[in-house]
């Protein structure tokens, strides 16, 4: 009898978790945008990634996992792409661009994965996938507005490059997993630690202004370390175990939506009509990609 009452709660728990994670990661864009007022993009990236990696290493034995590193070569490459490249480029894009704009362009990552998987994993683009490609390209043209060569175009290109770098990292991650079962949390901890090294080097060479240790910056770092990394990755692992990968992919589309809404509410960053049309086309393309992936399983 009690089991019947608990069953609906268990069914809705993954959906509620997915929405909560989207809130955490979507709001992180405006947290980082505010934090970058007081620290250089690479300094902030280096500190948050190094601190977050230490938190993940603490989580490994607490969750019954080994501290033993995976193969360092692939982990270093993954760290260069998904930690150094992704975090560095996204922070750099946030310096000049709106948080919502950056969030949408960064989350073109499934589009890039599909393109990169063609030559590297021999996963051809077929059928309705071409419609997704066309919608994404049209959306990007509207969103980038190449006829306006001033303003935040450089930020948009950086954010788009960030999504492409993450897509390359996904391909590398797939190849790592194809060579043997790898624990996701362990791999993330090691690649984040190794990826922090080039960020530290770039931050030192870039000659960025001295960090202002304001309450906003400290809270921003704490947000990145605790909810966005420690709690976020635990929730992500839970979702991967309880939901289909396709469902998690579709749910991840909530992240840029939260980013756009939060940046409009808290930062007053409102997209113009052409940019809004581009956002909708990109999100529609990503939703189509996720739907086709779910039908293929």
């Amino acid at each position: 009898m009690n089991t019947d009452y608990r069953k609906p709660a268990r069914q809705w728990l993954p959906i509620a978790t997915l929405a909560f994670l989207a809130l955490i990661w979507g709001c992180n864009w405006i947290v980082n945008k505010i934090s970058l007022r007081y620290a250089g993009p690479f300094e902030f990236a280096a500190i948050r990634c190094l601190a977050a990696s230490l938190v993940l290493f603490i989580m490994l034995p607490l969750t019954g996992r080994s501290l033993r590193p995976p193969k360092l070569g692939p982990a270093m490459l993954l760290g260069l792409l998904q930690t150094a490249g992704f975090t560095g480029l996204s922070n750099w894009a946030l310096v000049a661009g709106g948080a919502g704009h950056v969030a949408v362009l960064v989350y073109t990552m499934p589009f890039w994965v599909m393109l990169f998987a063609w030559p590297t994993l021999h996963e051809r683009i077929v059928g309705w996938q071409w419609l997704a490609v066309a919608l994404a390209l049209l959306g990007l043209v509207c969103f980038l507005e190449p006829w306006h060569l001033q303003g935040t175009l450089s930020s948009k290109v950086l954010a788009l490059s960030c999504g492409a770098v993450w897509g390359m990292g996904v391909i590398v991650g797939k190849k790592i997993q194809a060579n043997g079962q790898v624990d996701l949390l362990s791999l993330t901890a090691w690649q984040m630690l190794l990826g922090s090294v080039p960020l530290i080097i770039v931050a030192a060479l870039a000659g960025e202004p001295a960090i202002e240790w304001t309450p906003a910056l400290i809270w921003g770092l704490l947000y990145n370390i605790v909810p966005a990394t420690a709690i976020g990755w635990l929730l992500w692992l839970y979702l991967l175990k309880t939901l289909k990968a396709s469902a998690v992919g579709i749910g991840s589309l909530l992240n840029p939506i939260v980013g756009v809404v939060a940046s409009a509410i808290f930062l007053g960053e409102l997209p113009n009509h052409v940019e809004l049309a581009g956002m909708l086309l990109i999100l529609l393309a990503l939703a189509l990609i996720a739907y086709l992936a779910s039908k293929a399983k």
Side-chain angles (χ1 to χ4, degrees):
M1 193 76 173
N2 291 334
T3 304
D4 294 335
Y5 286 109
R6 293 173 184 172
K7 188 174 181 181
R10 288 200 301 267
Q11 290 175 340
W12 281 102
L13 185 58
I15 305 302
T17 302
L18 191 62
F20 183 58
L21 184 59
L23 185 64
I24 292 175
W25 283 351
C27 287
N28 199 35
W29 293 103
I30 63 168
V31 170
N32 290 345
K33 176 69 176 179
I34 294 171
S35 299
L36 288 171
R37 297 172 183 172
Y38 311 103
F42 297 104
E43 290 174 329
F44 184 69
I47 294 171
R48 62 175 277 206
C49 289
L50 183 59
S53 69
L54 296 178
V55 171
L56 292 177
F57 274 107
I58 293 173
M59 290 169 57
L60 288 177
L62 293 178
T63 54
R65 292 172 167 86
S66 172
L67 292 173
R68 184 178 178 181
K71 293 183 179 179
L72 288 182
M76 287 179 65
L77 179 57
L78 195 60
L80 184 63
L81 293 170
Q82 290 197 336
T83 293
F86 177 82
T87 311
L89 288 172
S90 64
N91 279 1
W92 196 2
L94 279 170
V95 170
H101 293 73
V102 173
V104 170
L105 288 176
V106 167
Y107 272 89
T108 56
M109 53 186 77
F111 168 73
W112 293 108
V113 170
M114 187 172 67
L115 291 182
F116 294 148
W118 190 347
T120 58
L121 302 178
H122 308 293
E123 297 177 2
R124 295 177 60 84
I125 300 174
V126 295
W128 287 99
Q129 289 180 332
W130 283 109
L131 176 59
V133 171
L135 289 172
L137 289 176
L138 181 58
L140 288 174
V141 170
C142 293
F143 199 75
L144 291 172
E145 294 184 282
W147 49 89
H148 292 157
L149 297 179
Q150 74 284 358
T152 59
L153 179 61
S154 61
S155 172
K156 293 176 180 178
V157 172
L158 285 169
L160 194 60
S161 302
C162 181
V165 166
W166 182 272
M168 294 178 195
V170 170
I171 300 299
V172 172
K174 282 180 173 289
K175 286 185 172 292
I176 292 174
Q177 293 183 22
N179 293 329
Q181 190 172 4
V182 179
D183 182 79
L184 179 60
L185 189 61
S186 176
L187 180 62
T188 302
W190 278 99
Q191 66 96 355
M192 192 171 288
L193 177 64
L194 295 170
S196 298
V197 176
L199 286 173
I200 294 170
I201 295 172
V202 172
L205 296 177
E208 295 178 330
I211 298 175
E212 299 179 43
W213 290 101
T214 63
L217 177 60
I218 294 171
W219 279 112
L221 286 171
L222 289 175
Y223 186 94
N224 274 274
I225 294 167
V226 181
T229 299
I231 296 175
W233 274 99
L234 284 176
L235 295 180
W236 180 255
L237 291 173
Y238 165 75
L239 289 172
L240 289 178
K241 287 183 178 180
T242 55
L243 292 176
K244 291 182 178 179
S246 55
V248 177
I250 293 173
S252 67
L253 295 178
L254 291 172
N255 298 357
I257 295 173
V258 171
V260 170
V261 174
S263 65
I265 294 173
F266 295 104
L267 301 177
E269 297 173 353
L270 299 174
N272 61 40
H273 291 92
V274 179
E275 289 175 331
L276 184 60
M279 285 184 186
L280 294 175
L281 286 169
I282 291 170
L283 291 174
L284 181 60
L286 297 178
L288 180 57
I289 291 171
Y291 173 75
L292 293 173
S294 68
K295 298 295 286 185
K297 293 185 180 296

